[in-house]
């Protein structure tokens, strides 16, 4: 039992399961940030930060798109690698621009999301994804 836990040569099945779990949880978690932003847009409240000079409305729409729509695509595993790109950009801006002056605890969540989405960019949606069903 301990030998198996210490073995670094994982078979493909646990890796496929790990990517599925990572995709589902990160998709759901990032959508909890994106859906309220979409609701805010629908309510006509376009006030938002402007961390990179695009304008507050544009910044809100882009972040809402990344967190809600791209989060959903990651969750279901459709266009996973493409969907991670806006999420990576949004999390990098959040961590390194918006929270640049904050202590580590203030940017930790953005950095964790950034790391997860970079991993998903590298791995893709995995075996249990719509990407695999539709495109392979």
């Amino acid at each position: 039992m301990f030998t198996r836990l210490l073995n670094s040569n994982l078979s493909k099945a646990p890796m496929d399961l790990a990517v599925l779990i990572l995709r589902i949880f990160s998709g759901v978690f990032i959508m909890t940030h994106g859906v309220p932003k979409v609701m805010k847009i629908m309510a006509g409240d376009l006030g938002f930060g402007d961390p990179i000079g695009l304008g507050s409305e544009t910044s809100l729409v882009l972040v809402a798109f990344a967190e809600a729509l791209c989060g959903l695509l990651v969750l279901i595993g459709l266009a996973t690698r493409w969907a991670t790109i806006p999420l990576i950009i949004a999390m990098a801006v959040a961590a390194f621009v918006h929270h640049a002056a904050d202590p580590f605890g203030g940017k930790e969540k953005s950095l964790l999301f950034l790391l997860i989405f970079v991993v998903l960019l590298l791995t893709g949606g995995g075996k249990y994804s719509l990407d695999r069903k539709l495109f392979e």
Side-chain angles (χ1 to χ4, degrees), residues 37-48 57 60:
K37 289 179 179 84
V38 170
M39 296 301 169
K40 182 176 171 146
I41 292 168
M42 293 174 120
D45 179 7
L46 300 177
F48 194 70
E57 295 88 3
L60 175 60

Side-chain angles (χ1 to χ4, degrees), residues 84-134:
T84 61
I85 294 169
L87 288 162
I88 289 168
I89 294 167
M91 294 303 105
V93 169
F96 301 119
V97 179
H98 181 71
H99 294 291
D102 294 352
F104 180 75
K107 57 183 99 183
E108 181 178 11
K109 190 185 327 177
S110 302
L111 290 170
L112 285 170
F113 274 125
L114 176 62
L115 174 66
I116 290 167
F117 295 129
V118 167
V119 168
L120 289 172
L121 175 67
L122 297 173
T123 63
K127 180 179 179 180
Y128 307 111
S129 68
L130 287 176
D131 290 337
R132 178 72 54 97
K133 294 268 186 219
L134 297 173

